[in-house]
Amino acid sequence: RFLSELYKVTLYNNSFEGPLPSSLFSLKNLQIINFSHNRFSGSISPLLGSNSLTALDLTNNSFSGSIPSRLAMSRNLSRLRLANNHLIGNIPNEFKKLTELKFLDLSFNNLTGDVTPQLSNCMELEHFLLSNNQFKGTMPSWLGNLEELGELDFSSNFFHGEIPAQLGNCSRLLKLSLYSNNLSGKIPPEIGNLTSLNVLNLQRNNLSGSIPSTIQECKKIFELRLSENFLTGSIPPEIGKLTELQVILDLSKNSLSGKIPSFLGNLEKLERLNLSFNHLQGEVPFSLAKLTSLHMLNLSNNELQGQLPSTFSGFPLSSFMGNEKLCGPPLESCLESGGQEKKSLSNTAVVGIVVAIVFTSTVICLVMLYIMVRIWCNWRRVTISSLDGGTEQQKIIKEEERWGYGEEKRRNSDHHQYWKMNSLPMVPEQDNKQISTT
């Protein structure tokens, strides 16, 4: 406390612990303080006796309590890093006075509330990091006024609403990370204005709609994560123009459909590709075989079919599971897959043939049975008629011969019915018995 001229104290990367001595408040000329990566605890107020602070870094300690508004007394403060502590409460409104602030890192604390609009006065902000807190509300549109912004990380909070299109004005932005929030709506096409962007991470939100084709303008991007949203439509072939993609292209766990664009084969620097858990169809383009830097690939749980490029044989089986019609190493060979399909079709054909034969045989049998019944009925009718008619005729002829006028009857057939009706009463009893017997 007697070192009144002390202006710089750096104790970072040690094992100091416990609360700070209150005597430090007497150091009125301190400008640079770096106590990061220790085990300090308690309040940070003892470090705020000076109004000349330009840099304060207390990252990775166990400081608690709220952020003192007295920090705003150091009007020349340009770097404020309080990440990975146990700080609570809101961002002080007094921070609007920190017009020289370039680096603000409050991530990994327990801070709450909205992002104070007073921070819009900090026009020199280059790094704005609030990740892993409990901030809520909508994404402030005034972020688009921070023309010097190079890194914006609001991930793992409770922000909702749409991504403001005004972010497209931050032409110097290198990293945009908004993952693990409740953001909804479409990805604004103004994202294509971020021509300096290296990292875009929007995963684990409720974003919908299609991936904007304007993303092709982000030609310097090397990490693109859009997984675990509700994105629809096809993968824009314009992504194939992002030839600097290297770290990862992750579009998994969405509702993307259509075919995998063959232009993805142009991403020769890409090391990780994840398109799993979508509704992608068609064959895997053989142009992906040009991705020689690829060491992680996941195409599982889609509707892909056909043969895999031979260069994919070294990837694990889990990379392709959930695509029933996909074949080729490391899956079963396409010949075996085709044989099973043919066998299945053959069994189906056999069943169809058997059913057709049984049906046709039944119809033929019924038709033949019907014909036979008809023939038998006609034959029976004719036989009965013949028997009745023949017996009666024989009786008449015999009687005519007995009485001697058979010849006459044959000459005069007009009287046949008369003699037939009157000849029976004249037959003798003996002959009548004989006729009856006959």
Side-chain angles (χ1 to χ4, degrees):
R1 67 187 178 91
F2 297 108
L3 303 177
S4 58
E5 300 300 321
L6 194 66
Y7 74 93
K8 181 178 181 179
V9 180
T10 58
L11 303 177
Y12 61 90
N13 288 339
N14 281 287
S15 299
F16 292 111
E17 60 184 12
L20 298 173
S22 59
S23 59
L24 292 178
F25 194 81
S26 302
L27 304 178
K28 302 297 183 180
N29 291 315
L30 280 178
Q31 298 179 20
I32 299 174
I33 301 175
N34 190 343
F35 284 7
S36 63
H37 302 280
N38 282 282
R39 302 171 188 169
F40 290 117
S41 59
S43 174
I44 65 176
S45 295
L47 297 175
L48 306 181
S50 172
N51 296 334
S52 303
L53 287 175
T54 60
L56 176 62
D57 190 347
L58 306 179
T59 304
N60 282 325
N61 281 282
S62 297
F63 290 111
S64 58
S66 59
I67 300 175
S69 60
R70 182 177 171 81
L71 273 170
M73 300 294 290
S74 297
R75 300 294 179 86
N76 293 323
L77 186 63
S78 63
R79 296 175 64 86
L80 178 59
R81 305 189 66 177
L82 304 178
N84 289 89
N85 283 284
H86 305 297
L87 302 175
I88 59 174
N90 302 329
I91 300 175
N93 291 332
E94 289 78 4
F95 274 20
K96 66 181 180 180
K97 301 176 182 179
L98 301 177
T99 56
E100 300 296 322
L101 195 62
K102 294 183 179 181
F103 201 122
L104 178 59
D105 186 0
L106 305 179
S107 56
F108 291 92
N109 281 286
N110 296 313
L111 300 172
T112 57
D114 297 339
V115 179
T116 175
Q118 281 75 13
L119 286 175
S120 60
N121 292 335
C122 304
M123 299 295 293
E124 301 296 322
L125 264 179
E126 297 176 1
H127 303 267
F128 195 2
L129 314 178
L130 301 181
S131 65
N132 291 275
N133 280 284
Q134 301 178 33
F135 290 111
K136 61 181 182 178
T138 59
M139 290 280 298
S141 59
W142 53 260
L143 290 171
N145 299 328
L146 306 179
E147 297 180 357
E148 302 297 324
L149 197 61
E151 182 181 10
L152 180 64
D153 190 348
F154 281 13
S155 57
S156 296
N157 280 284
F158 298 101
F159 292 108
H160 63 272
E162 298 184 351
I163 300 174
Q166 290 83 350
L167 283 178
N169 298 330
C170 303
S171 58
R172 298 187 180 184
L173 198 62
L174 301 176
K175 178 181 178 180
L176 176 59
S177 184
L178 305 176
Y179 72 87
S180 292
N181 280 285
N182 297 317
L183 299 173
S184 58
K186 297 182 179 181
I187 301 175
E190 289 80 4
I191 210 80
N193 297 336
L194 306 178
T195 55
S196 300
L197 199 64
N198 296 149
V199 176
L200 177 61
N201 191 342
L202 303 179
Q203 63 184 11
R204 297 178 189 171
N205 279 285
N206 299 317
L207 299 173
S208 58
S210 58
I211 302 173
S213 60
T214 54
I215 201 170
Q216 64 179 312
E217 302 300 330
C218 305
K219 297 185 183 300
K220 296 181 180 180
I221 195 168
F222 58 79
E223 180 177 344
L224 179 58
R225 300 174 186 263
L226 303 178
S227 63
E228 298 183 59
N229 281 285
F230 298 97
L231 299 176
T232 57
S234 58
I235 300 175
E238 289 81 3
I239 289 183
K241 297 181 180 180
L242 305 178
T243 54
E244 295 300 318
L245 268 175
Q246 179 177 354
V247 176
I248 191 171
L249 172 59
D250 190 354
L251 306 179
S252 63
K253 297 182 179 179
N254 281 286
S255 297
L256 299 173
S257 58
K259 296 182 178 181
I260 299 176
S262 60
F263 294 102
L264 293 186
N266 298 332
L267 309 178
E268 298 182 1
K269 297 181 181 180
L270 192 62
E271 298 176 354
R272 291 183 289 174
L273 175 62
N274 191 349
L275 305 178
S276 62
F277 290 95
N278 280 288
H279 304 294
L280 300 175
Q281 302 170 341
E283 298 183 352
V284 178
F286 279 85
S287 61
L288 297 187
K290 297 188 296 183
L291 304 181
T292 55
S293 299
L294 208 62
H295 60 76
M296 193 284 284
L297 175 66
N298 194 346
L299 303 178
S300 63
N301 296 283
N302 279 284
E303 300 169 17
L304 300 171
Q305 61 183 2
Q307 185 173 0
L308 288 170
S310 58
T311 54
F312 288 177
S313 59
F315 291 104
L317 191 64
S318 59
S319 297
F320 311 102
M321 297 298 292
N323 296 281
E324 296 182 359
K325 297 183 180 181
L326 205 58
C327 61
L331 301 174
E332 62 182 7
S333 69
C334 294
L335 292 177
E336 294 177 359
S337 177
Q340 290 181 357
E341 185 176 357
K342 289 180 179 178
K343 183 177 179 180
S344 175
L345 290 175
S346 178
N347 291 338
T348 304
V350 168
V351 171
I353 292 172
V354 170
V355 171
I357 291 175
V358 171
F359 177 77
T360 304
S361 301
T362 303
V363 171
I364 292 174
C365 291
L366 290 175
V367 171
M368 293 182 65
L369 181 61
Y370 174 78
I371 294 173
M372 292 178 65
V373 169
R374 292 281 299 180
I375 293 174
W376 183 81
C377 290
N378 291 336
W379 176 80
R380 178 177 175 82
R381 189 180 302 110
V382 171
T383 303
I384 293 174
S385 300
S386 300
L387 287 175
D388 292 343
T391 303
E392 190 69 19
Q393 189 68 20
Q394 287 177 359
K395 288 191 293 182
I396 294 171
I397 294 172
K398 191 170 183 180
E399 290 300 318
E400 289 175 347
E401 290 178 349
R402 180 180 294 273
W403 294 99
Y405 54 84
E407 292 295 330
E408 182 180 357
K409 179 62 177 62
R410 283 191 293 272
R411 287 192 301 265
N412 190 9
S413 59
D414 295 337
H415 300 284
H416 170 71
Q417 292 298 330
Y418 173 80
W419 292 111
K420 179 179 178 182
M421 296 300 298
N422 293 279
S423 60
L424 289 178
M426 300 176 64
V427 177
E429 182 178 0
Q430 182 178 357
D431 294 337
N432 189 23
K433 290 180 181 181
Q434 182 179 358
I435 292 173
S436 298
T437 302
T438 301

